[in-house]
Amino acid sequence: MKDGIGVLEFELETVAWPVDGAFTISRGSRQFAEAVAVRLVDDGYFGRGECAPYARYGETTQSVEQQIRAAISAMDGRPDRRRLQGVLPAGAARNALDCALWELEARKSGVSVASLSGLKPVDWVETAYTLSLDTPEKMRLRAVAHRDKTLLKLKLSGAGDLERVVAVRDGAPDARIIVDANESWTIDDYRTLTPHLDEIGVSLIEQPFPANDDDALRSLPRPIPICADESCHTRAELPRLVGLYDMINIKLDKTGGLTEAIALMEAGRAHGMSIMIGCMLGSSLAVAPARLIAPYADIVDLDGPLLLALDREPAIRFKGNRMENPAPALWG
């Protein structure tokens, strides 16, 4: 859909990307990944961004589209990346606009987003590959099928989790394993599971407890590093997370774009936190801006396109779970 506000033209596109099978976490299962993409055009130059509205944060494709339209209107049809930070809250809508503005600025300047941002890209990085929540046997079979992946991320949910991890370790004995509970564990789950997961060789536990109900982490034993996902969106949460978590998972759909993601990465490091760069389910266009941060992250989890049955062209290339830089024709 093409619109014109003021002197800038923009297009909004809603897409439902089919998932390769199903994507299942503790909160439910999905066969499609809904996305909103925005394309800004100014003086013959364009910039694009794609976001994944997330029900966990009260977002829908409709609400995101409305936010994008309202933000462009509020900036008199001449959106500016710096002004945008105060016009929209952190979230999917701001992410799509922010990334589109980065690319538009780069194209008008005749340089890459990497050059504009000061980030130095590398050709290939290792990304985690996610195994959806399922029965232990089905997760074992998925692990066998993906033995070429050197880093596996397991979605967990509490009951039966130890059996799931044991099964995956059996299916992929050489892989590094990280686990993501998506806020589903109780304190008893944590106390029971972590010693066994440590013995199995799990490298990281992501978001064991509900966001803002995680103070127990301050006093619980920590044989395995803990990463904040749902508990960390922007720099505003960082002071509370120090002492609770060892790592933060930066996702552009949470930070509201690359601008805040870069700032959060720098602030996280300053607070002594390790960095994961992650993503929601989305196409290569959604992941491309986050790929710039990958060289600065301790763990990269940008496998969204690998989990889809269909992607944009040109897509980001993967070899196993090694991920190439996006082509300039895709983004950047």
Side-chain angles (χ1 to χ4, degrees):
M1 182 180 303
K2 187 176 291 187
D3 291 87
I5 296 180
V7 295
L8 180 131
E9 185 180 271
F10 69 97
E11 302 171 26
L12 291 176
E13 175 192 23
T14 300
V15 186
W17 297 107
V19 176
D20 185 10
F23 182 75
T24 305
I25 66 172
S26 60
R27 285 190 286 271
S29 184
R30 288 187 284 165
Q31 284 72 47
F32 292 91
E34 292 192 326
V36 174
V38 60
R39 186 175 189 267
L40 304 176
V41 182
D42 185 27
D43 196 24
Y45 298 96
F46 71 90
R48 296 190 301 163
E50 180 179 306
C51 66
Y54 199 29
R56 166 69 177 80
Y57 304 128
E59 297 171 335
T60 65
T61 56
Q62 294 81 8
S63 71
V64 164
E65 286 191 354
Q66 289 170 2
Q67 282 185 296
I68 291 172
R69 293 177 191 278
I72 294 175
S73 179
M75 290 183 281
D76 303 316
R78 296 295 302 181
D80 174 270
R81 182 168 51 80
R82 294 156 189 84
R83 286 182 63 197
L84 175 64
Q85 310 308 308
V87 171
L88 277 180
R94 194 175 81 185
N95 176 32
L97 263 180
D98 184 75
C99 292
L101 286 165
W102 270 106
E103 186 179 41
L104 179 61
E105 183 180 345
R107 290 184 181 277
K108 292 178 76 171
S109 303
V111 300
S112 67
V113 175
S115 295
L116 277 180
S117 64
L119 299 175
K120 299 184 184 303
V122 297
D123 290 338
W124 293 89
V125 295
E126 176 197 54
T127 179
Y129 181 81
T130 302
L131 301 184
S132 285
L133 178 68
D134 213 322
T135 65
E137 178 58 17
K138 288 183 178 179
M139 292 183 75
R140 185 188 73 81
L141 291 174
R142 289 282 290 168
V144 170
H146 292 281
R147 277 187 172 179
D148 63 323
K149 312 294 194 301
T150 54
L151 176 59
L152 296 176
K153 177 174 175 174
L154 282 55
K155 293 293 188 178
L156 301 181
S157 67
D161 280 349
L162 180 57
E163 292 78 6
R164 292 182 178 99
V165 179
V166 168
V168 169
R169 173 55 77 208
D170 179 64
D174 298 324
R176 194 156 54 110
I177 292 176
I178 59 180
V179 301
D180 183 4
N182 284 115
E183 306 180 278
S184 66
W185 285 4
T186 65
I187 292 176
D188 285 343
D189 289 331
Y190 182 95
R191 289 187 182 279
T192 301
L193 288 167
T194 51
H196 298 292
L197 299 183
D198 187 31
E199 290 176 4
I200 294 168
V202 169
S203 300
L204 184 75
I205 297 171
E206 190 175 345
Q207 198 67 47
F209 304 139
N212 300 318
D213 192 18
D214 49 8
D215 285 342
L217 286 171
R218 201 175 301 278
S219 58
L220 285 169
R222 190 170 308 190
I224 302 170
I226 308 297
C227 177
D229 181 1
E230 286 86 349
S231 289
C232 183
H233 292 236
T234 68
R235 287 168 287 172
E237 291 88 20
L238 273 179
R240 190 186 76 84
L241 302 182
V242 175
L244 295 180
Y245 294 93
D246 307 288
M247 176 179 283
I248 53 173
N249 187 348
I250 299 173
K251 295 178 179 176
L252 272 61
D253 279 310
K254 293 188 304 175
T255 64
L258 182 62
T259 301
E260 175 63 21
I262 294 170
L264 176 58
M265 174 189 70
E266 294 171 347
R269 291 282 191 212
H271 280 80
M273 311 284 267
S274 298
I275 303 297
M276 177 190 290
I277 182 67
C279 64
M280 305 297 190
L281 270 180
S283 76
S284 287
L285 177 59
V287 168
R291 175 63 174 78
L292 279 175
I293 293 178
Y296 302 86
D298 301 279
I299 292 179
V300 177
D301 182 22
L302 297 178
D303 63 343
L306 278 177
L307 305 176
L308 300 179
L310 184 67
D311 197 359
R312 292 187 184 272
E313 291 293 339
I316 293 175
R317 290 198 305 157
F318 291 85
K319 292 182 179 179
N321 64 322
R322 294 178 67 237
M323 177 186 192
E324 195 177 31
N325 258 326
L330 171 67
W331 187 86

